[in-house]
Amino acid sequence: MGWVGVSPDRSHAFGCLEALATGVLAYPGGERLVCDVRLRYTADDPLVVHVVLPDSEATSGSWALSRDLLSAGLSGAAGIGDVAVRPVSRENEPLTVEIEVRGSRAGGAVRLAVGHRALLTYLERSHALVPFGSEADQGAMDRELELLLGDAGRSGEGGLNA
């Protein structure tokens, strides 16, 4: 992993954790691309790790992935639906973690492999910023509900207040 930084970014009241890692993107047609991948975690949104990919025709600019899913994928296959995470061991190669996102612009599954040690270290640092189990203390649920309900939730019209 290139650089890891924790910053008391003014736009993120509780801090921000960013890192640059080398990854390998594998596209449905078999094309592979070694690239830099930016990981971004903010305590203001403690349930999500943003994985920012290089722009291409096959991938979107970033993926918003569950921090818990990434953590679970360090030790075994995790995830159902469009996202799966699993450790991958190949003979004579360092352990990696493969993140598979189905339904991409490429018309199938896109896989990103990153170093296991790098992702483990990054997630440990994110847990130092917001400890496991204390995500609700950060007000994430309130923000998610506000985003989901929009103005209707605040005005008492529609949503849960109807």
Side-chain angles (χ1 to χ4, degrees), residues 17 38-42 45-52 62-71 99 119 122-123 126-127:
L17 176 67
R38 183 180 309 270
L39 303 172
R40 183 172 174 81
Y41 177 81
T42 64
D45 192 7
L47 303 174
V48 176
V49 172
H50 294 273
V51 178
V52 182
S62 70
W63 296 337
L65 302 173
S66 161
R67 179 173 74 158
D68 288 347
L69 177 63
L70 291 173
S71 295
I99 303 165
L119 185 58
Y122 181 80
L123 291 171
S126 80
H127 284 105

Side-chain angles (χ1 to χ4, degrees), residues 128-143:
L129 200 59
V130 178
F132 180 76
S134 70
E135 295 90 350
D137 297 342
Q138 303 297 316
M141 240 358 172
D142 292 337
R143 279 189 299 284

Side-chain angles (χ1 to χ4, degrees), residues 6-162:
V6 178
S7 69
D9 186 341
R10 287 183 195 264
S11 64
H12 302 286
F14 300 104
C16 175
L17 176 67
E18 291 189 337
L20 191 62
T22 300
V24 178
L25 279 169
Y27 299 103
E31 179 187 353
R32 295 169 59 89
L33 172 68
V34 176
C35 59
D36 288 332
V37 178
R38 183 180 309 270
L39 303 172
R40 183 172 174 81
Y41 177 81
T42 64
D44 288 345
D45 192 7
L47 303 174
V48 176
V49 172
H50 294 273
V51 178
V52 182
L53 304 169
D55 288 331
S56 76
E57 292 179 16
T59 57
S60 60
S62 70
W63 296 337
L65 302 173
S66 161
R67 179 173 74 158
D68 288 347
L69 177 63
L70 291 173
S71 295
L74 290 170
S75 59
I80 57 174
D82 289 340
V83 180
V85 182
R86 64 188 147 274
V88 175
S89 175
R90 292 187 177 89
E91 192 171 331
N92 298 321
E93 291 185 24
L95 185 62
T96 61
V97 175
E98 184 179 88
I99 303 165
E100 181 178 2
V101 177
R102 293 178 279 286
S104 70
R105 285 191 275 175
V110 173
R111 292 183 317 278
L112 171 66
V114 295
H116 185 276
R117 163 84 70 214
L119 185 58
L120 173 64
T121 300
Y122 181 80
L123 291 171
E124 285 174 341
R125 290 179 180 175
S126 80
H127 284 105
L129 200 59
V130 178
F132 180 76
S134 70
E135 295 90 350
D137 297 342
Q138 303 297 316
M141 240 358 172
D142 292 337
R143 279 189 299 284
E144 293 299 324
L145 281 173
E146 187 175 309
L147 288 172
L148 180 66
L149 299 174
D151 291 333
R154 283 189 292 274
S155 67
E157 300 172 13
L160 297 175
N161 294 326

